[in-house]
Amino acid sequence: MKRPFSFTHVTRVTQAMARLLLAPILLLQARRTARNTPRLDPASGAEQGVITGIAPEFRILVIGESTAAGVGAIAHAEALPGFLAGALHDHLQRSVAWSVTGRNGATARRVTTDLVPALNGTTPDLVVVTVGINDLLRRRSLERWAADLAELITALRTRYRTAGVIVAGMPPVHRFPAIPQPLRMVLGAQARAMDRTMREVAREYGAFHVPMDEAMARDRELFARDGFHPSPAGYRVWAHDLARAVSSPAAYSAQLSRSAL
C-alpha cells in the first residue's frame, strides 16, 4: 500500500540533506564554540531554603542538568529554585520550601540513574525537571530521548506518588548568542523537535510540560557571560513563567489544592 504524502517526511529529508552538506562547517563551529565558550561554575551555597508565609508549606524540588545546578548564578537562592520559590510564594500566598539537586552536563538518563536514587529529605509537592540540552549536544536520537525522558518521569512519579511533575521545555537554542550560524539553526531545529517530543511524553506519563518563552532569548541581559546559560535575571524571568503555569487553573490547581489538605 502506497504511503500518503507527508510534508513532515519531506522536511526531515531536507533537514538531513542540509546537515550532510553542512557537516564540515558544523563540526568546525562546534569545536570552536566548545573551545571558546567560558566555563562557568555551578551555583554555590545552600541547596535548600524556605520563603516564609502562611501555612501549610508548599515544597518544591528542582532536579536536572546545569540550569538546575545554577550555572550562571552565584547562589541557588539567585537561580531557578530560589526565584521559583519566591514567585510561587507570591502566587499562592503560602510558605514555600525549596531544594535542588543538579549536575552540570547531566543527560536525562544520567539524572535518572545518578540523581534520583540519591534523593532524600521531605517529600515535595512539586518536582520541576530541567533536562534536554546535554541530550541535544550529544546528538541523542528522538526515539532514545523519548525513552529516557519517559523513564525519568516514571522514576520521579514512582518515588513521589502525590507530587506533581513539571518538565521545563527546551530553551530557544536557535537564539543562543554563544552559537554561530549555521550551527545555531541546526541545533535549534533539533531542540524544537525535542521539545515537541517532550510535550508528548509528559502528557502520556502524567507530567506537565511548560514551554520556555522564546522572547527570553531576545534579551542579552538574560544570558550569563557564556551566552549559553541564564543569568540571575534570566533565571528570575524563567521562574516567574513557571510559577504562572503552576498556578494556572488549567495546570496544577487541582494538585495545589490537594497539597493544602
Side-chain angles (χ1 to χ4, degrees):
M1 181 177 179
K2 184 181 290 186
R3 298 178 64 182
F5 178 81
S6 170
F7 283 105
T8 301
H9 177 70
V10 172
T11 300
R12 287 178 178 175
V13 172
T14 302
Q15 290 175 346
M17 292 177 63
R19 285 194 295 269
L20 181 62
L21 293 173
L22 292 171
I25 297 174
L26 299 177
L27 180 60
L28 179 61
Q29 288 187 330
R31 288 175 175 172
R32 284 180 176 173
T33 301
R35 184 173 62 249
N36 296 332
T37 300
R39 296 290 186 268
L40 304 183
D41 293 328
S44 60
E47 295 185 346
Q48 57 187 10
V50 178
I51 309 294
T52 57
I54 299 172
E57 186 176 83
F58 187 73
R59 302 175 299 271
I60 62 172
L61 164 67
V62 177
I63 185 171
E65 34 75 54
S66 58
T67 51
V71 174
I74 296 176
H76 292 293
E78 298 176 353
L80 186 60
F83 285 134
L84 180 57
L88 284 173
H89 171 269
D90 293 341
H91 279 276
L92 305 177
Q93 296 297 302
R94 290 171 57 180
S95 179
V96 179
W98 60 268
S99 61
V100 60
T101 298
R103 179 176 297 175
N104 197 4
T107 60
R109 182 168 181 77
R110 188 64 67 185
V111 173
T112 303
T113 59
D114 291 3
L115 301 189
V116 174
L119 289 170
N120 52 42
T122 59
T123 300
D125 299 298
L126 180 69
V127 180
V128 178
V129 181
T130 71
V131 290
I133 195 69
N134 295 302
D135 295 88
L136 169 67
L137 297 178
R138 286 166 174 74
R139 296 183 293 178
R140 199 73 162 154
S141 71
L142 291 179
E143 291 75 16
R144 288 308 312 164
W145 162 240
D148 290 348
L149 190 59
E151 185 178 3
L152 174 55
I153 294 172
T154 299
L156 289 169
R157 297 198 70 233
T158 299
R159 188 179 187 94
Y160 302 123
R161 295 186 181 277
T162 62
V165 177
I166 276 188
V167 181
M170 290 290 293
V173 177
H174 61 290
R175 293 187 178 276
F176 275 19
I179 307 176
Q181 295 286 22
L183 179 61
R184 191 194 312 168
M185 174 188 68
V186 172
L187 291 178
Q190 182 66 7
R192 288 192 290 268
M194 291 175 65
D195 197 63
R196 291 191 292 271
T197 298
M198 181 185 286
R199 183 178 63 245
E200 295 166 1
V201 171
R203 182 186 302 117
E204 181 177 355
Y205 285 85
F208 185 67
H209 170 261
V210 179
M212 182 177 285
D213 186 359
E214 183 179 327
M216 284 181 58
R218 297 192 180 102
D219 187 349
R220 186 62 180 82
E221 294 299 315
L222 300 185
F223 283 91
R225 61 184 178 86
D226 64 356
F228 196 86
H229 292 92
S231 65
Y235 280 120
R236 182 191 294 274
V237 171
W238 187 18
H240 279 270
D241 283 348
L242 288 171
R244 280 193 293 269
V246 173
S247 308
S248 69
Y252 269 112
S253 57
Q255 172 63 34
L256 297 176
S257 296
R258 284 196 298 272
S259 69
L261 299 179

